[in-house]
């Protein structure tokens, strides 16, 4: 019997790669999408265009418990991957309330419908290294205390605790991945990596003149999204549910990312990148570096792609887009 998976946030970067992975493994793949996405597939389903025929999409809203309830009941999934979220940290400073509503209530609603309609299923929650925020240890492990620095980070800490509580209180299978930044050619343009690679490509082709960024000294542990969705799947294959840090263990600055991306198109980033204090965050997460030893020992997971290759793959993709 093929397994059935239900994914929230299926239209996003991770949702699209996870869908591909699960289809390859023979799963029936279902996704919950906003109604607007079904009405505007060209723009809003662009990451799924090549697999649209192979998956089943259900209109629903993370703000509406009844809509989620109906879908979970109908699909009766074996595995639920809850990836849907307002995922842009900067925006969470502009609209704390909708970020917390979507991310916290959305997670709570999903957990509750899972408990009501499919308690035998396995549930994955998309936790984040943003939960570590003002970090207490370097590198960060599953035991590092949380100190979130944004409404986004706070919503993820709360989601993490509710997810764990459903495991401890009701004996349900819930696992959280504490994923560090992961990127790809499918990354949204608002995130710094894609902003850099799309501008480096455009500037090299004479389509743009400069790139305005915020904090160039921020450090992130950047991996590849394809590696990271594999970790999500591995987590749900364990007999016992648990929480795992997923990271590469190496960090680089935003400045280094710029240097490599511009170098790849034969340019010196210092001639094109400018900073604007408006793009600095009110409370910044200065540096993140993960320790994924537990995932390696327990899941056999390791990242397969290097930082350098990630930058090149993204720049090449953006060059081809032009
Ligand atoms: P993404 O590309 O921004 O995708 C977010 C998804 O959530 C999209 O499908 C989006 O749907 C959906 N969504 C947003 N607001 C929604 C709402 N109000 N109702 C229903 N759906 C909504 O994010 P991603 O990079 O794939 O990340 C997936 C998950 O992992 C997120 O929970 C994110 O917070 C978490 N995470 C990401 C990273 C990372 O580095 N990528 C690291 C740690 C954790 P629309 O297409 O309709 O907008
Ligand atoms: N977006 C953006 N735009 N970030 C900039 C810019 C800019 O112009 N200039 C500098 N930065 C810095 C930010 O201040 C931050 O320190 C770093 O670049 C990375 O920013 P983002 O790419 O927006 O990602 P993020 O680290 O805030 O959040 C991502 O990773 C989290 C995991 O740690 C998102 O994917 C979150 O959803 C995810 O949880």
């Amino acid at each position: 019997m093929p397994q059935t998976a239900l994914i929230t946030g299926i239209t996003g970067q991770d949702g699209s790669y996870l869908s591909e992975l699960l289809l390859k493994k023979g799963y029936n793949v279902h996704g919950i999408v906003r109604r607007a996405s079904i009405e505007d597939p060209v723009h809003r389903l662009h990451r799924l265009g090549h697999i649209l025929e192979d998956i089943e999409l259900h209109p629903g809203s993370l703000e509406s418990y009844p809509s989620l309830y109906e879908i979970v009941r109908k699909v009766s999934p074996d595995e639920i991957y809850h990836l849907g979220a307002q995922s842009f940290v900067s925006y969470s400073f502009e609209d704390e309330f909708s970020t917390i509503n979507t991310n916290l209530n959305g997670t709570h609603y999903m957990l509750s419908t899972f408990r009501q309609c499919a308690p035998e299923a396995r549930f994955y929650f998309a936790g984040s290294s943003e939960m570590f925020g003002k970090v207490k240890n370097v590198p960060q492990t599953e035991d590092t205390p949380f100190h979130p620095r944004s409404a986004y980070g706070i919503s993820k800490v709360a989601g993490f605790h509710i997810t764990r509580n459903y495991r401890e209180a009701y004996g349900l299978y819930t696992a959280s991945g504490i994923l560090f930044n992961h990127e790809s050619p499918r990354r949204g343009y608002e995130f710094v990596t894609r902003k850099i690679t799309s501008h480096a490509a455009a500037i090299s082709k004479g389509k743009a003149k400069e790139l305005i960024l915020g904090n160039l000294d921020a450090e992130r542990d950047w991996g590849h999204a394809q590696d990271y969705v594999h970790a999500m799947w591995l987590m749900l294959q364990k007999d016992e549910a648990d929480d795992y840090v997923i990271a590469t263990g190496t960090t680089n600055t935003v400045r280094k990312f710029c240097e490599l991306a511009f170098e790849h198109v034969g340019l010196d980033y210092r001639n094109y990148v400018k900073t604007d204090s408006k793009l600095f965050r009110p409370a910044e997460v200065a540096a993140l570096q993960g320790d994924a030893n537990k995932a390696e020992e327990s899941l056999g997971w390791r990242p397969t792609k290097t930082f350098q290759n990630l930058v090149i793959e993204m720049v090449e993709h953006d060059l081809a887009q032009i």
Side-chain angles (χ1 to χ4, degrees):
M1 267 284 278
Q3 295 275 97
T4 298
L6 177 63
I7 304 173
T8 70
I10 194 169
T11 59
Q13 169 187 260
D14 292 4
S16 67
Y17 283 120
L18 180 64
S19 301
E20 281 172 9
L21 177 84
L22 296 175
L23 286 172
K24 276 200 203 107
K25 292 187 180 295
Y27 279 68
N28 293 320
V29 176
H30 295 253
I32 301 180
V33 294
R34 301 194 239 199
R35 177 161 292 285
S37 303
I38 299 214
E39 284 158 7
D40 182 10
V42 175
H43 295 108
R44 304 193 64 126
L45 299 178
H46 64 99
R47 295 189 181 96
L48 299 172
H50 59 299
I51 51 170
L52 266 185
E53 303 282 296
D54 307 316
I55 60 181
E56 198 171 329
L57 298 180
H58 306 265
S61 166
L62 285 179
E63 279 93 46
S64 155
Y65 182 84
S67 76
L68 301 174
Y69 186 96
E70 261 319 292
I71 297 167
V72 176
R73 193 187 58 74
K74 195 164 81 186
V75 171
S76 185
D78 301 297
E79 294 174 10
I80 299 172
Y81 295 87
H82 175 46
L83 312 183
Q86 193 301 94
S87 73
F88 188 31
V89 175
S90 262
Y91 182 71
S92 78
F93 289 105
E94 285 166 41
D95 192 350
E96 298 167 11
F97 291 90
S98 76
T99 302
I100 298 227
N101 277 343
T102 302
N103 295 5
L104 179 47
N105 289 339
T107 301
H108 199 179
Y109 293 160
M110 280 305 297
L111 280 163
S112 179
T113 58
F114 151 59
R115 181 178 171 213
Q116 298 294 326
C117 306
E120 300 303 319
R122 296 178 172 201
F123 186 97
Y124 172 83
F125 170 66
S128 164
S129 48
E130 277 289 307
M131 302 190 305
F132 297 123
K134 193 170 178 184
V135 300
K136 301 278 191 283
N137 309 102
V138 181
Q140 294 84 55
T141 70
E142 293 78 6
D143 297 323
T144 302
F146 298 140
H147 185 143
R149 300 266 283 167
S150 62
Y152 171 83
I154 292 163
S155 73
K156 288 290 181 180
V157 170
F160 176 88
H161 285 306
I162 303 179
T163 302
R164 192 166 55 189
N165 190 241
Y166 266 61
R167 181 163 80 223
E168 293 173 357
Y170 309 123
L172 297 170
Y173 191 113
T174 66
S176 290
I178 306 175
L179 271 52
F180 284 61
N181 298 50
H182 45 280
E183 319 292 314
S184 74
R186 296 186 195 169
R187 189 59 145 150
Y189 288 95
E190 66 273 40
F191 299 97
V192 79
T193 55
R194 191 73 194 281
K195 189 171 168 185
I196 296 168
T197 60
S198 60
H199 278 78
I203 291 169
S204 76
K205 300 272 187 189
K207 305 270 182 206
K209 289 198 163 45
E210 59 181 17
L211 166 60
I212 315 284
L213 293 175
N215 181 11
L216 299 183
D217 297 318
E219 293 172 40
R220 288 291 181 276
D221 179 334
W222 278 298
H224 197 295
Q226 267 177 317
D227 280 339
Y228 286 44
V229 300
H230 184 220
M232 296 174 188
W233 177 76
L234 286 171
M235 281 179 220
L236 296 198
Q237 309 317 305
K238 290 292 286 185
D239 289 340
E240 293 286 322
D242 207 344
D243 308 318
Y244 299 89
V245 161
I246 300 297
T248 69
T250 56
T251 58
N252 285 282
T253 57
V254 172
R255 188 186 305 282
K256 182 71 183 172
F257 199 106
C258 290
E259 188 186 316
L260 290 183
F262 278 79
E263 200 173 271
H264 190 64
V265 293
L267 300 174
D268 183 336
Y269 81 96
R270 288 173 297 187
N271 297 326
Y272 303 95
V273 174
K274 302 204 164 66
T275 56
D276 183 338
S277 57
K278 286 205 266 313
L279 293 174
F280 282 62
R281 295 176 182 178
E284 172 70 298
V285 171
L288 291 170
Q289 182 180 7
D291 172 348
N293 272 323
K294 177 176 169 185
E296 180 166 359
E297 278 160 27
S298 172
L299 306 175
W301 180 86
R302 296 183 74 165
T304 66
K305 307 200 183 205
T306 64
F307 174 66
Q308 191 135 12
N309 286 345
L310 169 69
V311 178
I312 292 172
E313 183 187 342
M314 291 178 70
V315 177
E316 284 293 324
H317 176 85
D318 285 328
L319 285 169
Q321 295 274 96
I322 299 168

